[in-house]
Amino acid sequence: DTGVSQDPRHKITKRGQNVTFRCDPISEHNRLYWYRQTLGQGPEFLTYFQNEAQLEKSRLLSDRFSAERPKGSFSTLEIQRTEQGDSAMYLCASRGQGLYEQYFGPGTRLTVT
Amino acid sequence: GDSVTQMEGPVTLSEEAFLTINCTYTATGYPSLFWYVQYPGEGLQLLLKATKADDKGSNKGFEATYRKETTSFHLEKGSVQVSDSAVYFCALSPSDFNKFYFGSGTKLNVKP
């Protein structure tokens, strides 16, 4: 059990550029979650996968955001045409069958200049 | 909708002092409740959980009891250490566990 990993840990991009983040969950966990955390706030839910199926999306996930989990293992979160308001920490979490808790990765900090 | 409210920080205590961080929630059905801790530069780590009313979660000297009658899940520790300095998040998960709702976090500073 190596924990949830995220890549990159930091990303600085210019407004209008596209960015993609990757999350590798704990290997036996079939549920994967994305959250966004801004400074001084708790994480806010973005979307949820069970295996490869995206089962729920928050209203926070505008049309510029898309998430995939093509083989039910790792997941990617893409933000198109980034805006300064997208600057935040993007957190990934996973949960295994029969478990109540989610396990979080270290996050990807996005800065849009 | 479901939500969590926790006391604002920062909370500053001297080492060995008693800690309480208040957390109340609003939810339909029977949620599970959690406390997560975030140390500087690190991700969120599960501290403790309670999955039904009157359950007490405990870990590393921290405790919290799921009180349905007061919709609360207050975090307590009898004697804090400098190493407990971190941000603490209260969270709830509805019965389908499809998402967590987090409070805004409470920063704890423990001075030697």
Side-chain angles (χ1 to χ4, degrees), chain A residues 9 31 33 35 37 40-45 48 55-56 91 95 99-106, chain B residues 32 34 36 38 41-46 49 51 89 93 96-105:
Chain A
R9 294 290 304 275
R31 293 164 173 82
Y33 306 79
Y35 293 84
Q37 185 180 18
Q41 299 299 315
E44 295 176 292
F45 170 79
Y48 157 62
L55 297 186
E56 190 164 346
L91 298 170
R95 180 169 73 89
L99 296 178
Y100 295 99
E101 63 271 19
Q102 296 180 11
Y103 292 84
F104 283 81
Chain B
S32 293
F34 305 82
Y36 279 81
Q38 189 171 34
E42 298 185 14
L44 278 76
Q45 299 176 23
L46 177 68
K49 67 179 185 283
T51 59
F89 292 93
S93 183
D96 61 7
F97 297 103
N98 285 349
K99 66 184 72 167
F100 276 23
Y101 296 90
F102 284 86
S104 57

Side-chain angles (χ1 to χ4, degrees), chain B residues 9 15 22 47 59 65 86 100:
Chain B
E15 205 165 23
N22 291 337
L47 182 59
N59 185 28
T65 301
F100 276 23

